[in-house]
Amino acid sequence: MDDTAVAMPRVPYSGVVSAGGAEEAAAVCERMKALGVTRAKVKVGETIEEDLAVLTAVRQALGEEAELRADANGAWDARTALARVHAFEPFSLAGLEQPCAGGDFEGMAWLTERSAIPVIADESLVSLSDARSLAAMHACHVFNVRISKCGGLLLCGRIRELAREAGLELMLGAHVGETAILAAAGRQFATRTPNLRFAEGSYGKL
């Protein structure tokens, strides 16, 4: 980590909508809205009809002012992903996370060149070597750094510096079921990363 980094006073975290179906997604979003959450990531990757129904429900529940992004968890090949990008245009998404398989750097690069929605690398980004390859191939617009996935705070800091040098944006991801200790490490990273694009996590109860 960069000890000279100035700590940010606030980090706006986003919620995650992984509900099965539009009705459940809307219910999750109503709970988020009651807590003042204005950013959300929506899990997609089902049929186009199901994805559109869920995104419609989420947008209606959270409102036009909410910042939404979608996460496909590597569900598509590059051409299918581009078709989804076009289909998702009415929802004004701020990002599309891991549209292609984790090892499909070529597909990610092909899509990144053509996508009107910023492409976020998550499963494709595990190591510093992955980060270098993604940057060299122009295979994403945003790095999703997770403390647990990318080797701890020091390696995440190095990936952050590489992103800055490559002109890429950075987001903080979270490990499903992460402990309060891991969430605290994420907050340390987030508060010391100016211009962090998105932040997830901080759900620990301790």
Side-chain angles (χ1 to χ4, degrees), residues 16-150:
V16 179
V17 181
S18 57
E23 185 175 343
E24 188 177 340
V28 169
C29 289
E30 289 299 334
R31 293 195 291 271
M32 285 185 187
K33 196 171 182 179
L35 293 170
V37 176
T38 60
R39 299 181 176 194
K41 178 171 80 173
V42 184
K43 295 287 187 175
V44 295
E46 303 297 331
T47 66
I48 182 65
E49 293 79 13
E50 290 172 304
D51 285 348
L52 292 175
V54 167
L55 285 169
T56 297
V58 170
R59 178 55 81 193
Q60 289 176 347
L62 291 180
E64 292 300 321
E65 69 282 359
E67 182 182 73
L68 302 184
R69 62 189 187 281
D71 182 6
N73 287 117
W76 309 309
D77 59 44
R79 292 186 181 277
T80 301
L82 185 59
R84 288 293 200 277
V85 165
H86 296 321
F88 293 165
E89 283 180 3
F91 302 102
S92 302
L93 297 181
L96 179 59
E97 187 172 320
Q98 202 60 49
C100 305
D104 186 10
F105 284 30
E106 292 79 8
M108 291 281 284
W110 185 90
L111 180 65
T112 297
E113 184 180 1
R114 295 164 175 80
S115 178
I117 302 173
V119 174
I120 304 168
D122 181 13
E123 284 85 354
S124 292
L125 176 62
V126 177
S127 66
L128 187 57
S129 176
D130 290 339
R132 290 185 180 122
S133 295
L134 288 164
M137 295 175 68
H138 305 286
C140 66
H141 300 100
V142 185
F143 282 168
N144 182 349
V145 172
R146 279 190 272 149
I147 308 302
S148 56
K149 175 189 68 169
C150 297

